[in-house]
Amino acid sequence: MNEWINEKLLPPVLRFVNTKPITALRNGMLYTMPFTIVGSIFLLLANIPYEPAANWVTESGLGVYFNQAFGASFAIMAVFAVIGIAYSYVKTEGFEGLPAGMIGLVIFIMFMSAELTDAESGITIGNIINKDWTGGKGMITAILVGLIVGWVYSWFLRHDIRIKLPEQVPENVANSFTALIPAAVLITGAMFVYIFFDKVFSTTFFEFIYDVLQSPLQGVTDTLGGALIIGFLVPFFWFFGVHGSTIVGGIMEPILQANSLENTEILNAGKALTIENGGHIVTKQFMDQFQTVTGAGMTIGLVVFMVFLAKSAQFKQLGRLSLAPALFGINEPIVFATPIVMNPIMVVPFILTPVVSSVITYFALYTGLVPLFTAVQVPWTTPAILSGLLVGGWRTALLQAFVLVLGFFIYLPFARKMDAINYAQETGQPVEEDVLEKIEAEQ
């Protein structure tokens, strides 16, 4: 089985995740992180999950300013994404990437309508940038524009189709002329695309992509099956020593972010955040706080066993060294030193724990036991329980504590078996079933 996976399954998967588009997508989305975190702080301040404090923020008028800061950071995440993706693609090709990022932004804005009609009065306002499309709703368009601009811009430079200036010209001036020809071609082509969708379909490229591509993708991920696939794939890749969190997160994060932002838009529209009103269950918080919390495989239960219950010196020492990092979501020491990588005993709880957590969390959100997540997010290094409290209130923190405790008991029998093997080897005893059973009974 290992031979088949290593020789047949993993090579094409790794080739795919290391392609230029996927690399650009993964690296480009990283540029959105600071604005996501900072914007989340202001969104949290504007919607404090404690009623007296929330009322004070509203009455004091501070909520307006907090929402203004959120609207200028997290709410325009697609803008940062299109710039970052185009920039990363061209930089990977070995060229200066900033001009491509700026061209991507121009085309991104061009693809949205510059007019907005008020539904009640019928008055049309022109010359605007519609912020409805700068957040989650525009994320797939941002990805497509960023990748296409990055590819076309790189093609022009690879074929040396550009205006060349003498070496004495300052680099920043030379770069601006280098971008002139690809910019003219890309922007002109984007204009014809805009005309095509306007005249043929009476819509915009944004609306077309959202209806045809993004909404179905969000619908697929926002199911129990979608949640289980994410919960399974992250530890599955890690089992083979491949960074599953980066691979799966890099591909899924834009869609999960869009789900989070749409939940916030429901609240901003004055509606209750419920599934009936279009609320999403599977969001970035779902993945970060209930599938990969304390690290891929949710390994904090294994660390607790090592620290307090292990008999082998190896596990005791590893647990003590890994406890502090694990509290902040860093579990590479556990994954590689236990080891979990290529370990047929430990892979079972390593995959099973996030899968079970996914099922429990999904139904807790579906039934309303825990509120749906808004766009409030915390850094992935935020300790468990605290992260749950910040993104969803006390009920979310309580659910997080429950799945982590449950994770400890899922790991327990497998950890005992591994610890017994280690202890038998350390004490010179034969690694036989009767010996291992005796050691496990003594734990």
Side-chain angles (χ1 to χ4, degrees):
M1 183 66 176
N2 285 338
E3 182 180 348
W4 177 82
I5 290 174
N6 285 318
E7 295 183 3
K8 302 295 184 181
L9 178 61
L10 279 182
V13 171
L14 292 177
R15 282 196 297 270
F16 171 74
V17 300
N18 288 317
T19 57
K20 291 175 183 177
I22 298 300
T23 301
L25 172 60
R26 185 170 62 243
N27 294 339
M29 288 300 298
L30 290 176
Y31 291 103
T32 70
M33 186 185 302
F35 309 102
T36 298
I37 295 172
V38 173
S40 291
I41 294 173
F42 286 109
L43 182 62
L44 180 62
L45 291 173
N47 301 273
I48 298 175
Y50 178 61
E51 189 171 350
N55 291 337
W56 179 83
V57 169
T58 303
E59 293 168 2
S60 66
L62 289 174
V64 175
Y65 304 113
F66 292 149
N67 282 322
Q68 178 74 1
F70 165 75
S73 52
F74 201 151
I76 60 170
M77 185 175 59
V79 173
F80 303 126
V82 69
I83 297 172
I85 293 169
Y87 171 85
S88 297
Y89 195 110
V90 175
K91 187 177 179 181
T92 301
E93 293 276 13
F95 304 110
E96 170 58 44
L98 184 57
M102 297 170 69
I103 295 170
L105 176 60
V106 171
I107 294 174
F108 181 81
I109 295 173
M110 181 185 294
F111 277 163
M112 67 176 71
S113 174
E115 295 182 345
L116 182 64
T117 302
D118 183 73
E120 296 182 1
S121 64
I123 297 175
T124 299
I125 304 172
N127 199 29
I128 66 165
I129 295 176
N130 192 340
K131 287 181 67 175
D132 284 346
W133 298 105
T134 60
K137 288 179 68 175
M139 186 55 65
I140 298 300
T141 298
I143 292 172
L144 293 174
V145 171
L147 292 176
I148 292 171
V149 168
W151 179 78
V152 173
Y153 188 89
S154 299
W155 183 89
F156 272 89
L157 297 195
R158 280 200 313 271
H159 290 80
D160 210 22
I161 305 174
R162 50 181 164 174
I163 297 175
K164 299 178 183 178
L165 296 179
E167 294 181 0
Q168 294 81 2
V169 176
E171 184 178 1
N172 60 331
V173 177
N175 285 336
S176 64
F177 277 88
T178 297
L180 191 57
I181 293 177
V185 173
L186 281 162
I187 294 172
T188 302
M191 182 188 68
F192 283 114
V193 171
Y194 181 85
I195 293 172
F196 174 78
F197 280 96
D198 182 52
K199 297 299 183 182
V200 176
F201 298 108
S202 298
T203 187
T204 63
F205 185 75
F206 268 94
E207 293 167 317
F208 179 82
I209 292 299
Y210 183 77
D211 293 337
V212 174
L213 188 59
Q214 181 163 333
S215 289
L217 282 174
Q218 288 183 240
V220 170
T221 58
D222 194 33
T223 62
L224 179 58
L228 290 176
I229 290 173
I230 297 171
F232 170 81
L233 285 179
V234 173
F236 175 78
F237 283 122
W238 266 114
F239 173 66
F240 299 100
V242 180
H243 203 300
S245 305
T246 299
I247 293 173
V248 178
I251 297 172
M252 296 304 303
E253 183 174 317
I255 299 173
L256 299 182
Q257 290 275 34
N259 288 349
S260 300
L261 284 166
E262 286 196 3
N263 283 358
T264 294
E265 289 171 5
I266 292 172
L267 288 176
N268 292 340
K271 301 178 183 178
L273 181 52
T274 62
I275 296 174
E276 291 74 19
N277 286 336
H280 298 283
I281 294 176
V282 185
T283 62
K284 189 165 190 306
Q285 298 92 326
F286 190 105
M287 181 178 177
D288 288 349
Q289 313 310 327
F290 290 96
Q291 293 181 314
T292 60
V293 64
T294 73
M298 301 172 61
T299 52
I300 190 65
L302 176 59
V303 176
V304 170
F305 171 86
M306 290 178 173
V307 173
F308 297 103
L309 299 176
K311 289 177 66 66
S312 67
Q314 175 183 331
F315 264 21
K316 287 180 180 179
Q317 183 65 19
L318 179 59
R320 287 193 290 266
L321 292 173
S322 302
L323 181 58
L327 293 175
F328 295 93
I330 301 168
N331 70 337
E332 278 83 352
I334 289 294
V335 172
F336 290 102
T338 302
I340 293 175
V341 173
M342 301 303 291
N343 185 335
I345 296 176
M346 296 308 301
V347 70
V348 177
F350 189 62
I351 292 178
L352 185 61
T353 301
V355 167
V356 170
S357 176
S358 299
V359 174
I360 293 172
T361 304
Y362 186 91
F363 282 105
L365 291 163
Y366 183 81
T367 58
L369 292 175
V370 172
L372 299 180
F373 301 118
T374 63
V376 174
Q377 294 179 21
V378 294
W380 62 270
T381 52
T382 305
I385 313 305
L386 175 60
S387 62
L389 182 66
L390 292 174
V391 302
W394 67 269
R395 286 186 289 173
T396 303
L398 188 61
L399 176 63
Q400 202 176 46
F402 173 75
V403 296
L404 290 175
V405 171
L406 181 61
F408 167 80
F409 287 103
I410 294 174
Y411 273 101
L412 184 59
F414 302 92
R416 278 180 171 170
K417 179 65 67 176
M418 280 298 303
D419 185 49
I421 293 173
N422 292 338
Y423 186 76
Q425 292 174 340
E426 291 171 0
T427 56
Q429 301 180 63
V431 184
E432 297 177 357
E433 194 61 35
D434 57 338
V435 175
L436 297 180
E437 288 178 356
K438 182 180 177 181
I439 295 172
E440 290 179 54
E442 293 172 355
Q443 289 173 330

